[in-house]
Amino acid sequence: MSEYYQIAVDGFSSCGKSTLARQIGEVLHITYIDSGAMYRAAALLALRNNCIINEKLQPECFRPVLQKADIQFHKSTNHLLLNGDDVEEEIRQHEVADNVSEVASHGFVRTLLMQLQRNYSHTSSIVMDGRDIGTHVFPKAQVKLFIVADPQVRAERRFRELQEKNSSSTFEQVLDNIQKRDKLDQSREVAPLRKADDAIEIDNSHLTRKEQLEKAIRIINEKLEDKQ
Ligand code: DC
């Protein structure tokens, strides 16, 4: 076994992957990387540089911009830094959310971000959440988790979060958005969302966060022991 190990946490939108991956990082004292934040930063960069026209990314405009960009996480806050600026809040805004799937569907964007994602594994053990971590970024990850939850349950959780932020979205809109994103993520030509053959599925529809974390840690410990 190499000095460092990787834990891949993939799954559908709004199913609690990031929360779980962050908790795993804390419990195991390893680096947590939110790969979705990197795609969101790329989408923000494309918007700022007017490289999205009629909802379509213009590769000839965006390629040189992305190649020059500095995308990394702040060492202590873990916030996303784009060319040195903390954009953690901005990448969670509607405009970015509405354009990120389009940006993430382009091969040159994925190739570049995948390289950055892989670099993290050279200097520490990591837990990374996303859509293609176990299938493309780290196909040899020691542990692969695939998180699923009933779309209705995911929409209820997301709706509650949005209500707390005084959003005017209706439950039906939230459910519709989740179903659309599931379809887009699964039907994308490049690196679509798919459970890796050796991934272990966790359905958290009826689990509390604590139960989910306990289950994940049990699986991780078993897998890491097997590999030693
Ligand atoms: O996990 P998230 O919602 O922050 O991800 C934002 C978008 O990025 C989502 O539309 C899917 C895409 N994404 C991806 O294509 N591959 C990843 N590894 C992570 C996210």
Side-chain angles (χ1 to χ4, degrees):
M1 191 169 158
S2 86
E3 195 187 344
Y4 301 120
Y5 62 86
Q6 297 96 42
I7 301 174
V9 182
D10 289 304
F12 292 92
S13 300
S14 300
C15 67
K17 294 185 305 292
S18 302
T19 307
L20 175 64
R22 184 178 302 111
Q23 289 174 324
I24 292 172
E26 283 165 11
V27 172
L28 300 180
H29 303 290
I30 59 174
T31 305
Y32 159 59
I33 303 290
D34 173 357
S35 70
M38 300 170 80
Y39 284 97
R40 286 170 183 267
L44 176 63
L45 191 65
L47 286 165
R48 281 183 177 175
N49 285 276
N50 301 316
C51 293
I52 300 181
I53 300 175
N54 294 332
E55 299 180 3
K56 290 280 168 218
L57 182 73
Q58 308 299 310
E60 64 288 355
C61 168
F62 191 49
R63 199 187 302 262
V65 173
L66 184 62
Q67 275 165 352
K68 275 195 282 186
D70 177 21
I71 296 176
Q72 53 175 297
F73 292 91
H74 190 283
K75 296 269 178 303
S76 51
T77 61
N78 220 14
H79 287 183
L80 200 288
L81 303 180
L82 176 59
N83 295 330
D85 292 334
D86 186 329
V87 292
E88 188 62 34
E89 254 187 54
E90 238 175 306
I91 59 171
R92 310 290 163 193
Q93 305 291 326
H94 256 306
E95 210 189 353
V96 170
D98 289 346
N99 287 283
V100 62
S101 285
E102 160 61 15
V103 173
S105 70
H106 287 259
F108 75 93
V109 175
R110 302 200 73 84
T111 304
L112 208 143
L113 294 189
M114 186 160 72
Q115 201 49 55
L116 296 180
Q117 289 155 8
R118 285 184 178 157
N119 286 346
Y120 286 105
S121 68
H122 301 156
T123 49
S124 62
S125 292
I126 53 172
V127 51
M128 187 177 291
D129 80 302
R131 307 290 191 287
D132 62 340
I133 310 306
T135 50
H136 286 85
V137 182
F138 296 120
K140 293 191 179 153
Q142 284 78 356
V143 189
K144 298 181 187 178
L145 302 176
F146 193 77
I147 315 302
V148 301
D150 187 322
Q152 196 80 19
V153 174
R154 284 188 278 146
E156 275 161 22
R157 290 175 184 160
R158 184 87 190 107
F159 181 59
R160 269 200 301 274
E161 273 173 21
L162 289 171
Q163 275 192 319
E164 277 162 24
K165 291 181 190 160
N166 295 322
S167 158
S168 57
S169 303
T170 64
F171 176 76
E172 286 68 30
Q173 283 170 332
V174 175
L175 180 61
D176 184 57
N177 179 267
I178 282 183
Q179 286 169 332
K180 273 202 191 119
R181 287 212 282 165
D182 285 358
K183 210 164 154 197
L184 272 176
D185 283 345
Q186 287 175 293
S187 61
R188 176 172 67 211
E189 258 175 56
V190 195
L193 171 64
R194 183 175 67 72
K195 176 174 176 272
D197 294 337
D198 51 349
I200 296 181
E201 185 170 303
I202 298 180
D203 182 339
N204 69 21
S205 305
H206 306 290
L207 295 180
T208 63
R209 281 187 178 174
K210 186 164 176 275
E211 287 167 341
Q212 168 175 249
L213 178 63
E214 284 167 359
K215 187 165 184 168
I217 296 290
R218 247 193 332 270
I219 295 169
I220 292 166
N221 285 338
E222 275 168 24
K223 284 274 173 191
L224 292 180
E225 267 169 31
D226 280 357
K227 308 257 168 176
Q228 271 173 352

